């Protein structure tokens, strides 16, 4: 396990871009290995994901400027932004099973495992976070950030189910999006964060350690 971990900490590629060199020189904590993998091996997927996520902003707000400070509409926008990252979230699960399967034996607490990988999501959502805090006041930006972050944790927890293929995974996420749309439509957007966070922890606890990695 130690040898594999050291090899993963020396990720490299044939084409050494400047950010590859920076990543190679820096020590990489265990929980952000997937971020390094995406930035070095899946650049196209990452750029397409960010384009789809950030395209939601002009489509909604610049075409309908009257909705700029409407929290109901903003909550829907954040949910759609997170939904644009579904492919990356599913790839994270595949990455963990393929390269980090030994990590299931690490003596981490359940809470550490649950929140540890969350640093990846903060890094991936950094452009969206910057936009939120520049567009809204502090309280609304924090509410939206918690809603989007909790939804992403929920999607991640669902991906840990060993019985789900990609098609089934997408169907479940689509159903969840429909439910969240109804909740937002009735102005209950404030319950998205606690609801998604609670469900994500329960699903994560029931699925993380009980999987077939064959």
């Amino acid at each position: 396990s130690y040898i594999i971990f050291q090899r993963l900490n020396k990720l490299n590629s044939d084409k050494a871009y400047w950010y590859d060199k920076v990543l190679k020189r820096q020590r990489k904590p265990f929980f952000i290995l997937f971020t390094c993998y995406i930035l070095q091996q899946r650049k196209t997927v990452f750029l397409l994901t960010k384009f789809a996520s950030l395209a939601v902003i002009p489509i909604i707000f610049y075409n309908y400027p009257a909705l700029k400070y409407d929290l109901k509409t903003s909550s829907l926008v954040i949910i759609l932004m997170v939904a644009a990252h579904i492919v990356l979230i599913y790839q994270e699960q595949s990455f963990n099973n393929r390269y980090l399967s030994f990590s299931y034996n690490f003596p981490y607490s359940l809470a550490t495992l649950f929140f540890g990988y969350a640093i990846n999501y903060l890094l991936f959502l950094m452009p969206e976070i910057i936009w939120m805090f520049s567009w809204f006041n502090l309280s609304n930006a924090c509410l939206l950030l918690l809603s989007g972050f909790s939804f992403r944790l929920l999607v991640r927890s669902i991906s840990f189910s060993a019985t789900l293929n990609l098609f089934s995974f997408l169907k479940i996420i689509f159903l969840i999006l429909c439910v969240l749309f109804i909740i937002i439509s009735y102005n209950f957007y404030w319950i998205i964060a606690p609801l998604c966070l609670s469900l994500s922890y329960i699903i994560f606890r029931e699925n993380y350690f009980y999987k077939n990695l064959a």
Side-chain angles (χ1 to χ4, degrees):
S1 299
Y2 179 78
I3 293 173
I4 295 173
F5 179 77
Q6 290 300 319
R7 293 296 299 171
L8 286 171
N9 205 41
K10 296 178 180 179
L11 295 174
N12 197 6
S13 61
D14 295 333
K15 294 182 179 180
Y17 298 100
W18 65 268
Y19 45 82
D20 292 327
K21 296 178 180 179
V22 171
L23 288 175
K24 183 179 179 180
R25 287 196 298 265
Q26 298 299 318
R27 295 180 61 85
K28 292 168 277 294
F30 172 75
F31 289 110
I32 68 166
L33 288 177
F34 178 68
T35 301
C36 300
Y37 170 76
I38 289 296
L39 293 178
Q40 291 194 306
Q41 305 294 331
R42 295 291 185 270
K43 301 179 184 69
T44 302
V45 175
F46 175 74
L47 292 176
L48 290 175
T49 298
K50 300 315 295 182
F51 174 79
S53 174
L54 296 175
V56 177
I57 299 174
I59 290 174
I60 301 295
F61 288 115
Y62 289 101
N63 288 327
Y64 305 96
L67 301 176
K68 177 178 180 180
Y69 299 108
D70 180 41
L71 270 181
K72 182 166 67 174
T73 304
S74 302
S75 298
L76 178 61
V77 169
I78 297 303
I79 295 301
L80 292 176
M81 283 181 167
V82 173
H85 293 76
I86 286 177
V87 174
L88 287 180
I89 298 174
Y90 191 82
Q91 284 190 348
E92 179 189 16
Q93 172 62 2
S94 300
F95 173 82
N96 289 339
N97 288 343
R98 182 177 181 182
Y99 298 110
L100 303 179
S101 58
F102 61 88
S103 66
Y104 292 101
N105 295 316
F106 283 1
Y108 290 129
S109 66
L110 188 63
T112 300
L113 291 169
F114 181 71
F115 290 107
Y117 290 107
I119 190 172
N120 287 310
Y121 313 144
L122 291 177
L123 294 173
F124 283 140
L125 292 174
M126 191 56 64
E128 290 83 351
I129 293 173
I130 294 174
W131 168 76
M132 278 187 283
F133 281 90
S134 62
W135 190 276
F136 303 100
N137 59 48
L138 182 60
S139 59
N140 289 345
C142 290
L143 175 62
L144 294 174
L145 176 60
L146 287 175
S147 298
F149 190 70
S150 300
F151 175 56
R152 178 144 188 170
L153 287 176
L154 176 59
V155 176
R156 188 277 307 268
S157 296
I158 293 173
S159 73
F160 276 105
S161 175
T163 60
L164 285 181
N165 55 35
L166 180 58
F167 184 67
S168 300
F169 175 68
L170 292 175
K171 288 195 295 184
I172 292 175
I173 300 306
F174 177 76
L175 179 61
I176 293 175
L177 285 172
C178 293
V179 173
L180 292 180
F181 178 77
I182 294 174
I183 292 175
I184 293 172
S185 297
Y186 284 93
N187 289 323
F188 289 110
Y189 49 81
W190 52 272
I191 72 169
I192 291 178
L195 177 64
C196 288
L197 187 61
S198 301
L199 288 176
S200 62
Y201 185 80
I202 294 172
I203 296 173
F204 180 84
R205 183 187 62 192
E206 297 298 321
N207 287 279
Y208 183 81
F209 294 106
Y210 308 103
K211 58 172 73 266
N212 180 11
L213 299 177

